[in-house]
Amino acid sequence: MSNSIAFFDSHCHFDFPEFDADRMEVWQAAQSAGVKALVMPGVYPQQWDRLVKLSLAMPGFYWAFGIHPCWIHQVPVDVDSLRRYETQIDTYLAGLPEQERHRCVAVGECGLDKTIDLPLSQQLGIFSWHIDLANRLGKPLIVHSLKTHNELIALCKKHKPQYGGVVHAFSGSYDTAMQLIDLGFCLGAGGVITYERAQKTRATFARVPFDAIVLETDAPDMPPSGRQGMRNTSQALPLIAQALADLRGVSVEEVAAKTVANTRRLFHCN
């Protein structure tokens, strides 16, 4: 694979403790593999300060503010707390130099998950709060949806994210994918498409409009085929790109160029 190919990891939890011991080495290896930029999603308010500081210290790093459904039970989410989080976000952004403010590119990671012990009604309420926040800030959403695509589609039809977003780690049918794309979402192609057994997802990414696909690793989770049980890193992104190229019958260079352009368009980053 040519060293001149550039990739953009649209979803990487590079601030997580799994990288504390060797973060710079991991990033250098990813850069050597062609990864030039990444987005780190927020997962709960206590993590946001770390996200901002790490992003501002590293060229090519971007971040998002959000509360992941798996972290909702760990933080207060009453009306007053949500209002306080909004004030916290506004304060972060107002305190940044104008040339750095754009590196907050999205709201999320947020969404819905039927595999966790949290009432879906509560998850829907918090997700609606994220949609309102994204619409007010003029930013897209980074969405986590696990066994909840129907509920996600129904909510977004009623309560539209005005600036679109990405359904990360998408794993679903072509029909579901097209409904999400019609609502303004891109789809995150990650390690799942490297597994031969993921036939439905692979078939979907072979067919959906190329303009709607972004690449991601979800590191340190969701390693590609052959690396099960190992820590995932952005260095795996070229493997995912190659799998997508094979599925679509195009070159990996075309996949890299197209998905980087899609990611930068989605997140409005240079």
Side-chain angles (χ1 to χ4, degrees):
M1 194 172 289
S2 170
N3 290 333
S4 65
I5 301 177
F7 299 98
F8 195 135
D9 191 345
S10 69
H11 194 111
C12 173
H13 296 284
F14 201 51
D15 63 299
F16 276 20
E18 285 88 340
F19 298 109
D20 284 352
D22 59 352
R23 185 169 282 107
M24 291 309 301
E25 292 86 348
V26 170
W27 179 234
Q28 287 167 3
Q31 287 180 296
S32 296
V35 181
K36 305 304 182 186
L38 58 79
V39 174
M40 294 183 293
V43 294
Y44 64 107
Q46 290 81 356
Q47 168 232 15
W48 294 346
D49 189 59
R50 178 182 175 95
L51 270 183
V52 175
K53 288 178 178 175
L54 181 56
S55 295
L56 295 179
M58 301 289 288
F61 280 29
Y62 302 87
W63 82 91
F65 290 116
I67 306 174
H68 190 293
C70 292
W71 271 266
I72 289 174
H73 69 284
Q74 296 186 26
V75 297
V77 287
D78 56 277
V79 172
D80 288 341
S81 295
L82 294 177
R83 191 175 295 121
R84 188 170 66 252
Y85 301 149
E86 287 201 46
T87 301
Q88 183 180 347
I89 291 168
D90 290 342
T91 301
Y92 271 123
L93 296 178
L96 291 173
E98 189 172 349
Q99 66 269 24
E100 300 288 8
R101 211 171 293 157
H102 75 283
R103 292 172 71 176
C104 174
V105 295
V107 168
E109 183 174 355
C110 57
L112 306 170
D113 191 322
K114 280 187 179 174
T115 72
I116 60 176
D117 187 19
L118 191 71
L120 195 60
S121 58
Q122 185 179 9
Q123 295 186 47
L124 287 164
I126 304 303
F127 185 45
S128 292
W129 172 79
H130 281 91
I131 295 175
D132 285 336
L133 177 62
N135 288 348
R136 180 171 70 80
L137 294 178
K139 297 190 182 295
L141 291 166
I142 296 174
V143 177
H144 170 101
S145 178
L146 192 52
K147 302 186 185 299
T148 56
H149 290 335
N150 291 338
E151 291 83 356
L152 171 66
I153 289 166
L155 178 62
C156 289
K157 283 181 176 178
K158 294 178 182 176
H159 192 177
K160 185 170 176 59
Q162 295 171 10
Y163 300 89
V166 54
V167 178
H168 108 89
F170 180 77
S171 178
S173 69
Y174 175 78
D175 288 344
T176 297
M178 292 308 299
Q179 289 183 69
L180 290 167
I181 291 169
D182 287 345
L183 285 166
F185 286 106
C186 289
L187 307 175
V192 170
I193 68 168
T194 67
Y195 289 83
E196 290 286 345
R197 67 176 181 272
Q199 294 181 12
K200 179 174 67 175
T201 303
R202 284 163 58 85
T204 295
F205 277 105
R207 292 180 61 197
V208 295
F210 215 161
D211 286 345
I213 302 175
V214 298
L215 297 182
E216 63 165 74
T217 61
D218 198 24
D221 298 321
M222 297 187 70
S225 179
R227 300 186 180 183
Q228 295 91 320
M230 300 170 63
R231 178 186 66 170
N232 196 15
T233 76
S234 291
Q235 195 175 354
L237 209 60
L239 294 176
I240 297 165
Q242 186 63 63
L244 184 60
D246 293 343
L247 288 171
R248 297 188 71 93
V250 299
S251 68
V252 72
E253 288 86 357
E254 184 176 347
V255 165
K258 189 65 177 174
T259 56
V260 168
N262 293 346
T263 306
R264 293 195 181 279
R265 184 186 71 247
L266 170 67
F267 292 129
H268 301 286
C269 54
N270 299 324

